[in-house]
Each structure stands twice: as structure tokens, then as C-alpha cells.
């Protein structure tokens, strides 16, 4: 194992001392946002984690090494290089054995975080069950990974490029508690609402930390999905987003986009066509999630069940 993993010394030390660490994904850097906002946001997110008292560990595969904790120039490289793979679990053996560079999805970041001993992970949005999955069977490996790997995943809910209702059903089947922070409605990334109630609600990081302890100490392996609603002032009206999403789905169908290309295609289409508004919202919510994730990591080190 150790010859595959490269844990940054600062992260290694924090873990050895039982200090709070927050894992961060890198697909958002390489494939989720344009340069230079991607690099700037990744560095700001790390700063938010530090301000809240935890150590950030951005995770990516560089030259075939699974890096847990990146230096600034490595983040810069991921944000600019053109040949960075989007690495879900299925891609890991190839990218590692070919000594390539890869940005890690939620599924892969979770797995590497767990291997390193990191229990809290912050992202923007996870993958899920795609609209039309009853015929395409397009269900993200993020969901099956959450079913088995014991890491808390802080997100802004599920983006409505997905079928939110089916995604909630799948999460339930996989035994993944879905907890919305501070409200009853399950949020949909750009919006605080989704039309679905959240299965669970908790109002403090301490209560979420206790839920994590109870789950994992019972031997119930797997993730807890924590949905943190976007701050009101950054919300994008749902009808406006739905219009862009409908256009994006139509373009994807026309261009026969399939497999792992679907999600990046939809995200890129929406980002390019909705101009600055969705990007500003994306940046705001990931920083908002980073704060909650860091508070949760701190609470987890201090709280029993
Ligand atoms: N959804 C978002 N933003 C993202 C992703 C999904 O709102 O950046 C990225 C994440 O890295 C996620 C991946 O793990 O896409 C899911 O891809 P797929 O649907 O191919 O499993
Ligand atoms: Mn897919």
C-alpha cells in the first residue's frame, strides 16, 4: 500500500497526533472550473479549512502516485495541465500503472482519504443517478463507494442534472444516512430547495460528529452524506438552472455523449452557458462546505457518541 500512497508530511503529522484533517477532491480543479478560478478557489478552500482549525488534504494522482495533501505548485499544475485524467475507481489501476496525472472524483477521493485515515471529506456536488438511468443505467460510482467506505461527505446536495428522487432512493438502499444541515428540505446545489424533504436533519457539527461515531462504532461501514444548503445570497433561481440543464441534456444526447464523459460534459456546458452566475455560486458554496467540513472534523476529534 505505502508504495502507492504519498501522504504530505503535514497531513501525516496531523493524523499521527489525532488532529482534524479534511480531504478535498481535485476533479473540481481539473474538470469542474475554468483556469485561473479553479486554482484560486482550491487555495482559498484550503485556507478556509485552516482558519477553522483543521489541516487540508487535497487529493490527486500525480505521476502515478496517490497524493494525499498537495503543494501549491501541484495544485497549480492540476489546474493548468491539459492531459489530466478524470479518475473514478475504474480508472485507478490504469492511471497509476501508466504513471499518469489524474484528478480524483468523489469515489476515488473517498477511497484514498480512507486509506490515509482521513474521515471527513468536502466537495461541491457528488455524482448520483442520472435522469433516464432506468434505460441508460448511468449511476455514478460515487454512490456505491459511499455505500462501503467510511468517510463523511460534505456537499451542497445533489445537482439537478441528476434525478434527485432516484438518487435519494439509491442512497437509502446503500445504507447511507443523508443529513441536511440546519433545514428540513434537501438542497439541490444551486438552490436551497429540491422539491424533496431531507431524510434527516441536524443543526450542529457536534451532532453530526456523534452520528458518525455511532454509525462507525456499530460497525456500519459506509459514508454519511451531509448536505449543506448554499447561502441564500448566492442561490441561482431553479427555473433558470433548469433551462440550462435541459439545453445541456439535449446537447449531450445529440452529440452521443456516453459513459464517464457525461457528467463533465453537462457541467462544462452549464458553466459556459450560464456565465458568471453559476461559477460564483459554485465558488461560494464550496468554501461554505469547507467551513462546515472543518468544523465537523474538529468536532469529530473531540466528541464521543
Ligand atoms: N457533480 C457536480 N460537480 C462535480 C462532479 C459531479 O456537481 O464536480 C464531479 C465529481 O468529481 C464527481 C464526479 O465525483 O463528477 C461524478 O462523475 P460520474 O457521474 O461520471 O460518476
Ligand atoms: Mn456515469
Amino acid at each position: 500500500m505505502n508504495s502507492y500512497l504519498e501522504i504530505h508530511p503535514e497531513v501525516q503529522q496531523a493524523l499521527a497526533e489525532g488532529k482534524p484533517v479534511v480531504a478535498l477532491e481535485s476533479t473540481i480543479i481539473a474538470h469542474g472550473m475554468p483556469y485561473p478560478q479553479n486554482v484560486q478557489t482550491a487555495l482559498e478552500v484550503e485556507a478556509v479549512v485552516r482558519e477553522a482549525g483543521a489541516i487540508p488534504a487535497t487529493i490527486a494522482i500525480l505521476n502515478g502516485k496517490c497524493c494525499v495533501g498537495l503543494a501549491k505548485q501541484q495544485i497549480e499544475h492540476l489546474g493548468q495541465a491539459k492531459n489530466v485524467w478524470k479518475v473514478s475507481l475504474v480508472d485507478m489501476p490504469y492511471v497509476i500503472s501508466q504513471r499518469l496525472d489524474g484528478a480524483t472524483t468523489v469515489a476515488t477521493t473517498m477511497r484514498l482519504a480512507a486509506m490515509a485515515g482521513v474521515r471527513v471529506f468536502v466537495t461541491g456536488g457528488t455524482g448520483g443517478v442520472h435522469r433516464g438511468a432506468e434505460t441508460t443505467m448511468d449511476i455514478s460510482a460515487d454512490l456505491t463507494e459511499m455505500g462501503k467506505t467510511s468517510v463523511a461527505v460534505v456537499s451542497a446536495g445533489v445537482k439537478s442534472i441528476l434525478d434527485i428522487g432516484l438518487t435519494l432512493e439509491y442512497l437509502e438502499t446503500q445504507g447511507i444516512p443523508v443529513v441536511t444541515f440546519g433545514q428540513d428540505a434537501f438542497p439541490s446545489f444551486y438552490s436551497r430547495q429540491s422539491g424533496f424533504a431531507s431524510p434527516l436533519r441536524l443543526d450542529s457539527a457536534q451532532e453530526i460528529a456523534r452520528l458518525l461515531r455511532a454509525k462507525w462504532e456499530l460497525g456500519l461501514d459506509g459514508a454519511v452524506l451531509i448536505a449543506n444548503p448554499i447561502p441564500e445570497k448566492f442561490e441561482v433561481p431553479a427555473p433558470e438552472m433548469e433551462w440550462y440543464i435541459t439545453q445541456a441534456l439535449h446537447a449531450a444526447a445529440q452529440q452521443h455523449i456516453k459513459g464517464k464523459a457525461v457528467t463533465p460534459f453537462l457541467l462544462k456546458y452549464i458553466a459556459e452557458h450560464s456565465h458568471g452566475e453559476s461559477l460564483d455560486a459554485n465558488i461560494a458554496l464550496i468554501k461554505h462546505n469547507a467551513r462546515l467540513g472543518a468544523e465537523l472534523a474538529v468536532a469529530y476529534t473531540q466528541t464521543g457518541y
Side-chain angles (χ1 to χ4, degrees):
M1 182 53 54
N2 287 344
S3 62
Y4 294 100
L5 264 190
E6 200 158 283
I7 305 179
H8 192 285
E10 186 192 25
V11 174
Q12 187 114 54
Q13 192 184 342
L15 290 169
E17 292 171 0
K19 292 199 174 133
V21 177
V22 172
L24 300 161
E25 67 147 313
S26 47
T27 297
I28 188 161
I29 304 173
H31 305 286
M33 280 185 196
Y35 181 81
Q37 288 94 336
N38 55 356
V39 171
Q40 198 189 332
T41 303
L43 297 174
E44 285 172 6
V45 163
E46 290 203 343
V48 169
V49 169
R50 283 184 198 283
E51 275 163 32
I55 300 295
T58 302
I59 294 180
I61 299 175
L62 293 170
N63 203 13
K65 283 271 182 201
C66 301
C67 300
V68 177
L70 300 182
K72 192 176 166 193
Q73 67 269 24
Q74 293 175 312
I75 290 178
E76 185 78 36
H77 169 68
L78 279 175
Q80 289 205 57
K82 294 280 166 267
N83 51 354
V84 177
W85 276 60
K86 170 191 164 193
V87 184
S88 193
L89 296 169
V90 72
D91 310 294
M92 272 178 93
Y94 181 84
V95 170
I96 288 169
S97 60
Q98 291 293 313
R99 314 278 193 272
L100 302 175
D101 291 342
T104 49
T105 64
V106 167
T108 306
T109 309
M110 283 179 72
R111 183 69 69 94
L112 292 172
M115 282 181 192
V118 181
R119 292 296 208 165
V120 177
F121 162 46
V122 168
T123 184
T126 67
V129 180
H130 280 259
R131 297 190 192 186
E134 56 276 29
T135 50
T136 63
M137 293 186 70
D138 190 354
I139 299 173
S140 176
D142 292 353
L143 296 183
T144 41
E145 182 61 15
M146 280 193 263
K148 60 183 169 202
T149 295
S150 300
V151 171
V153 180
V154 180
S155 76
V158 171
K159 213 172 254 179
S160 52
I161 57 172
L162 303 170
D163 187 317
I164 297 176
L166 292 186
T167 301
L168 288 169
E169 290 292 348
Y170 202 94
L171 288 161
E172 185 197 76
T173 302
Q174 292 284 317
I176 303 156
V178 176
V179 178
T180 297
F181 184 68
Q183 69 175 35
D184 295 328
F186 184 67
S188 59
F189 199 89
Y190 292 115
S191 170
R192 294 170 65 83
Q193 310 293 320
S194 64
F196 293 88
S198 178
L200 301 167
R201 167 188 176 157
L202 289 171
D203 290 353
S204 71
Q206 287 69 28
E207 287 172 291
I208 301 171
R210 285 173 49 211
L211 182 143
L212 297 178
R213 287 259 176 229
K215 183 177 198 293
W216 295 332
E217 285 174 10
L218 284 163
L220 294 169
D221 290 338
V224 172
L225 181 61
I226 296 132
N228 189 27
I230 185 171
E232 236 163 274
K233 65 176 172 180
F234 294 107
E235 273 190 294
V236 183
E240 188 183 325
M241 281 322 298
E242 185 57 34
W243 194 83
Y244 295 124
I245 288 164
T246 306
Q247 300 292 310
L249 289 168
H250 183 72
Q254 264 195 333
Q255 295 176 43
H256 306 290
I257 307 295
K258 298 262 186 303
K260 66 181 281 192
V262 171
T263 298
F265 179 91
L266 297 175
L267 295 176
K268 188 156 181 270
Y269 187 101
I270 291 163
E272 283 173 3
H273 290 76
S274 63
H275 311 292
E277 199 179 12
S278 73
L279 184 58
D280 288 350
N282 211 337
I283 293 169
L285 67 82
I286 180 106
K287 289 202 240 172
H288 189 233
N289 293 348
R291 173 156 296 276
L292 178 60
E295 287 169 3
L296 177 58
V298 170
Y300 186 75
T301 60
Q302 296 170 350
T303 318
Y305 80 90

